Amino acid sequence: MARVLSLFRPQPVLALAGRWKPAFCKMSMDSRAREVFAAAVEAVQPDTVVRQSVERKDDSVVIDGHRLALKHNLHLVGFGKAVLGMAAEVERIVGDHLVRGVISVPHGIQQTLQQHGKGHLLLKENSRIKVMEGAKHNLPDEDAQRAAEGIKQLASELTEKDLLLVLISGGGSALLPAPIPPISLQEKFDVTRRLAAAGATIQELNKVRRALSLLKGGGLAYHAHPAQVVALILSDVIGDPLDLIASGPTVRSEVWPEGILSILERYKLLDTLPTSVRDVLARQGPRWKESKDESNAPGDVLNVVIGSNGVALKYAGRRARELGFRPVVLSLGVCGDVRAVSKLYGLLARFACCQEEPPPELAAEMLKLGPDVGMETWDLCRTMKVLDDGRKEGWGATCLLAGGEPTVELTGKGRGGRNQELALRVGLELKGLALPPKGPLFLSGGTDGQDGPTEAAGAITDAGLYDEARTQGLNVDNFLKNNDSFTFFSQLLAGQRLLVPGLTCTNVMDVHMLIIPSIPITMN
């Protein structure tokens, strides 16, 4: 530990040429924080990410450095909450080289986009892409299953001369339900629901989903063989693991029934399985050998993540710099309980706001807490050193950026979400520090624009939250016990601290922002 903490001892002054020169900005810290969040969301708009990733060059397109010939041979499928806008942009780029397409999108999405003035994300009237809405309340249903069958049929009819473009975004798993016959949709849903209730991990749940699905775990790419398959992915999963996003329909993931049976046995579900599920799992060997020769397995597949939390934070950092902050990305994988996450952000704020050398206990406590919230020791050490150097050399205000998806333990029945509860808890952790612009400010917002069952994406907070709440007679503890953070922020200062961007049409998890002002240091 002593070696780690030595990172924060006084360092030689950097050469003046390399010093950060903050830009002057008259906007308040609150307004600038909202601007930075807006830049993060704008960077991962469905049409934007496609436009930046698909380049048309004569009768070809360039994707991730690969030049693909267009000979009126392009077919398109998609599934997810953002694929409608992605599909509209693809069609604008490739024109009449697109032969046909089928996309599975959330129930009511076309009407919602129209009502919110998002017509640019809708298909044109004479589009060659068929839109199928389903998965009401984000749950797989018969409408989504019909869409999945249409997608499977399109893929199965392709030849080696065809190019299949697959568009994938968050919510894609519920919009592509295709249980292996004779398993019914309800039977598959019941098995995974009971497994989740029994405490299965996300990895175990995904293994079972893939084992019972025709299209997940590489199934879609398998059915599209021998066509070339290119998947454009808008990731809503920490770390962008291709096999987990929408359960990896274009990523081969071999499933052995024996392994699935051991998972079900572990959670004591083996004896109550439906007969259809038993029949499917009783088949010997990997499923890929059952209907096609192994030599025909999908191999010509290109998977490209075109939008992610990392992309959002990159553009947020650019905007932060334009607004006079020094941007520093802390982590892309924040997870764990919001109580632990808020504790760490509170410690970081106190570390950064120290006018003297920060006590070693602060760093030690952060490093101990880091693994519980998905923050690597190296990332924390790097960030603390940057903050320490910046304070000593007068680099100006710093904008710490992080992303991920923490969790909330539900103990009540109030209205709120993880971002609003995190902001509320961080506000309590900041108690006693100075108020902006001389003290820190924290923002937490969901890039999908909807934090829980509310119209807010998140909230902004600072060290004055507790006193403001007390002045208005708001009992913070009661709101937290009831998971009622939206009601709290709606009443606090008449909702001024809420973050309400409206319909964002995208989702790459959450953006966290801790703005640290320039701190005058005490020289000993």
Side-chain angles (χ1 to χ4, degrees):
M1 182 64 72
R3 289 186 62 188
V4 173
L5 296 182
S6 68
L7 287 171
F8 316 122
R9 290 172 185 157
Q11 304 290 324
V13 176
L14 296 179
L16 290 176
R19 286 188 58 178
W20 164 250
K21 297 178 181 179
F24 178 73
C25 184
K26 292 183 178 180
M27 294 171 62
S28 68
M29 283 175 63
D30 180 290
S31 297
R32 285 188 280 174
R34 292 175 189 270
E35 286 268 329
V36 172
F37 178 76
V41 172
E42 182 61 33
V44 288
Q45 287 296 293
D47 57 333
T48 301
V49 293
V50 168
R51 195 161 50 247
Q52 292 179 343
S53 306
V54 181
E55 182 184 0
R56 176 75 181 270
K57 286 190 175 181
D58 301 321
D59 287 337
S60 66
V61 289
V62 179
I63 299 175
D64 195 37
H66 299 261
R67 189 160 185 153
L68 307 167
L70 295 177
K71 300 176 181 178
H72 303 284
N73 61 338
L74 179 65
H75 304 257
L76 181 147
V77 297
F79 32 90
K81 296 178 180 179
V83 301
L84 186 55
M86 295 169 73
E89 189 62 28
V90 167
E91 191 165 25
R92 278 191 282 269
I93 293 172
V94 302
D96 62 3
H97 284 287
L98 177 64
V99 179
R100 58 179 173 158
V102 177
I103 58 175
S104 178
V105 298
H107 177 80
I109 185 66
Q110 295 176 94
Q111 182 180 354
T112 299
L113 289 174
Q114 196 71 58
Q115 291 173 343
H116 286 78
K118 304 281 187 177
H120 64 288
L121 298 178
L122 294 169
L123 298 173
K124 55 188 179 182
E125 288 186 8
N126 59 342
S127 173
R128 297 181 180 181
I129 301 171
K130 181 179 181 180
V131 180
M132 302 183 72
E133 296 188 355
K136 215 170 189 179
H137 309 302
N138 203 30
L139 295 173
D141 57 18
E142 292 182 359
D143 289 334
Q145 186 173 11
R146 277 191 288 272
E149 289 169 355
I151 288 171
K152 175 178 170 291
Q153 181 178 350
L154 184 153
S156 300
E157 295 172 355
L158 301 179
T159 71
E160 68 276 2
K161 296 180 181 180
D162 292 315
L163 170 62
L164 179 64
L165 195 58
V166 183
L167 307 179
I168 304 173
S169 74
S173 186
L175 287 161
L176 194 71
I180 298 174
I183 302 173
S184 71
L185 183 61
Q186 188 61 48
E187 286 172 333
K188 181 185 174 187
F189 177 75
D190 287 342
V191 169
T192 54
R193 178 182 54 80
R194 290 170 58 205
L195 197 58
T201 65
I202 186 63
Q203 291 80 7
E204 291 170 328
L205 283 168
N206 271 291
K207 283 182 180 179
V208 173
R209 284 195 190 104
R210 291 194 291 259
L212 305 182
S213 173
L214 283 171
L215 299 179
K216 295 184 171 83
L220 177 57
Y222 174 73
H223 285 285
H225 185 81
Q228 182 168 16
V229 177
V230 178
L232 303 181
I233 303 166
L234 187 58
S235 171
D236 67 337
V237 182
I238 288 176
D240 308 327
L242 297 176
D243 61 324
L244 292 187
I245 303 169
S247 299
T250 57
V251 182
R252 176 165 174 166
S253 179
E254 201 59 85
V255 175
W256 291 82
E258 296 85 351
I260 304 304
L261 290 170
S262 68
I263 293 174
L264 295 167
E265 186 176 19
R266 187 177 309 138
Y267 294 99
K268 298 179 173 56
L269 297 179
L270 206 53
D271 295 336
T272 57
L273 287 178
T275 302
S276 59
V277 174
R278 286 175 173 275
D279 290 345
V280 169
L281 295 179
R283 300 169 187 172
Q284 295 299 310
R287 59 178 171 157
W288 298 119
K289 293 183 179 180
E290 293 172 10
S291 58
K292 288 191 179 183
D293 184 77
E294 188 176 20
S295 63
N296 288 334
D300 199 10
V301 178
L302 174 64
N303 290 293
V304 185
V305 175
I306 63 173
S308 65
N309 193 265
V311 171
L313 294 191
K314 174 184 175 181
Y315 283 87
R318 288 185 182 180
R319 185 63 179 137
R321 186 177 293 274
E322 293 171 355
L323 293 171
F325 297 124
R326 180 171 52 114
V328 177
V329 175
L330 170 59
S331 172
L332 303 178
V334 181
C335 58
D337 192 279
V338 291
R339 289 171 292 192
V341 176
S342 64
K343 179 70 173 176
L344 191 138
Y345 282 133
L347 291 169
L348 260 175
R350 293 184 184 281
F351 178 94
C353 292
C354 285
Q355 295 187 2
E356 300 178 349
E357 190 72 21
E361 295 78 14
L362 274 180
E365 194 171 353
M366 277 189 277
L367 294 176
K368 182 179 179 182
L369 193 57
D372 295 336
V373 298
M375 293 195 193
E376 300 288 343
T377 297
W378 164 248
D379 285 331
L380 284 169
C381 289
R382 169 183 55 81
T383 300
M384 285 188 278
K385 185 173 188 304
V386 168
L387 290 172
D388 201 44
D389 288 348
R391 179 178 57 249
K392 291 186 177 77
E393 300 184 24
W395 285 355
T398 298
C399 179
L400 286 184
L401 295 163
E405 200 167 79
T407 55
V408 172
E409 181 183 354
L410 295 178
T411 57
K413 297 181 179 180
R415 295 182 67 200
R418 60 180 179 267
N419 287 284
Q420 292 166 84
E421 182 155 331
L422 176 60
L424 176 49
R425 291 184 180 277
V426 170
L428 297 180
E429 294 289 342
L430 298 179
K431 182 183 175 185
L433 294 176
L435 300 180
K438 295 184 178 180
L441 178 141
F442 180 79
L443 176 150
S444 183
T447 55
D448 62 354
Q450 186 176 21
D451 188 38
T454 77
E455 56 264 35
I460 299 178
T461 190
D462 57 42
L465 178 137
Y466 179 80
D467 288 339
E468 290 169 356
R470 188 174 59 177
T471 299
Q472 290 188 224
L474 302 176
N475 188 313
V476 177
D477 290 338
N478 287 345
F479 283 101
L480 286 173
K481 287 176 184 176
N482 198 33
N483 299 118
D484 205 13
S485 52
F486 176 72
T487 303
F488 172 81
F489 279 114
S490 296
Q491 296 179 11
L492 185 72
L493 300 177
Q496 292 179 31
R497 289 182 175 269
L498 283 171
L499 182 65
V500 188
L503 184 69
T504 66
C505 308
T506 190
N507 181 22
V508 293
M509 300 180 291
D510 304 335
V511 170
H512 301 159
M513 197 183 313
L514 180 61
I515 297 179
I516 307 293
S518 179
I519 303 296
I521 61 173
T522 302
M523 303 298 292
N524 293 323

